[in-house]
Amino acid sequence: MLQVKAGNMDTMGLLFERYNRSLLGFLFHMTNQREASEDMVQTVFYRMLKYRHTFTGDGEFKSWMYHLARNVLVDYSKQNKRSAQNYDLADVADKVGGGPAADESMQKEQELDMLHRAMAKLSAENREVLVLSRFQELKYEEIARVLNTTEGAIKVRVHRAMNELKKIYLTIENGKTAYKL
């Protein structure tokens, strides 16, 4: 990014190749809207160019990048005035073909569905720290820089978010089991 800041725009393509998938994953996990997430990735890279003068090189590039991505996500949520928690899950009925493999596939799909629903019920702040730590695999130190807080605070937030996610997941699982009976 320091090269881009210095005027070497060719390296921007390398940054895009290296980081666009992880950005897409972060934004998709936050919104579960693929097309919107793809648009937001483009916006993040546009802002990288526009605000390249703000990158100092003191911290990690990924922290700065995710900070920009969070701002794009906030802007998107404000513009669309709808929840960033909408999940559009594919119907699994067509996957049922019989046999043990189909049953296992259906079971995994149901568990994934319950996880998505549980993630959607988390607050945006809790969902964000879980996506950054578990899906994007950022270190707590990096997340602390992105969220402008301490590493200890991030550890506490991730722990609390995981506990809340477990409670919500079990509630959904038990509710589904009770409903089937």
Side-chain angles (χ1 to χ4, degrees):
M1 189 62 206
L2 290 174
Q3 291 179 11
V4 172
K5 184 178 178 178
N8 184 0
M9 296 301 156
D10 294 338
T11 55
M12 193 66 189
L14 178 64
L15 289 175
F16 182 82
E17 288 177 27
R18 191 174 292 164
Y19 294 105
N20 80 74
R21 293 186 78 196
S22 61
L23 265 179
L24 179 63
F26 168 70
L27 295 166
F28 180 75
H29 282 295
M30 293 301 294
T31 64
N32 205 42
Q33 298 173 7
R34 183 152 186 89
E35 288 181 18
S37 298
E38 290 170 350
D39 290 344
M40 285 187 277
V41 166
Q42 297 297 323
T43 303
V44 170
F45 279 94
Y46 168 75
R47 287 188 184 180
M48 281 182 198
L49 282 173
K50 184 176 179 180
Y51 299 113
R52 64 184 178 263
H53 65 279
T54 65
F55 182 71
T56 61
D58 293 339
E60 277 198 47
F61 168 74
K62 287 194 318 185
S63 300
W64 183 73
M65 178 184 71
Y66 280 112
H67 182 75
L68 290 175
R70 289 182 73 228
N71 290 340
V72 168
L73 186 61
V74 167
D75 292 346
Y76 172 80
S77 296
K78 286 178 184 176
Q79 287 173 352
N80 290 296
K81 295 183 182 178
R82 62 180 174 200
S83 174
Q85 302 176 22
N86 293 334
Y87 281 82
D88 181 23
L89 298 171
D91 187 6
V92 296
D94 60 339
K95 293 184 181 180
V96 179
D103 289 343
E104 186 176 306
S105 174
M106 182 94 146
Q107 176 70 24
K108 286 182 181 180
E109 191 70 33
Q110 288 173 346
E111 289 171 358
L112 186 60
D113 176 45
M114 287 189 294
L115 178 61
H116 282 293
R117 289 191 294 155
M119 288 286 290
K121 290 181 185 266
L122 286 174
S123 68
E125 294 82 17
N126 284 346
R127 189 171 52 257
E128 183 176 47
V129 295
L130 288 181
V131 168
L132 289 171
S133 67
R134 298 301 191 252
F135 293 103
Q136 298 303 312
E137 299 177 351
L138 292 181
K139 296 175 184 168
Y140 291 147
E141 177 184 338
E142 294 172 313
I143 298 169
R145 280 195 295 260
V146 170
L147 301 180
N148 197 26
T149 189
T150 65
E151 187 176 343
I154 294 301
K155 288 178 182 179
V156 169
R157 286 176 63 184
V158 168
H159 177 75
R160 289 179 180 166
M162 283 299 293
N163 285 338
E164 184 181 351
L165 180 63
K166 287 176 190 174
K167 287 178 188 175
I168 293 169
Y169 183 88
L170 291 173
T171 301
I172 291 171
E173 185 178 50
N174 291 335
K176 188 172 186 171
T177 304
Y179 181 72
K180 283 201 268 187
L181 296 175

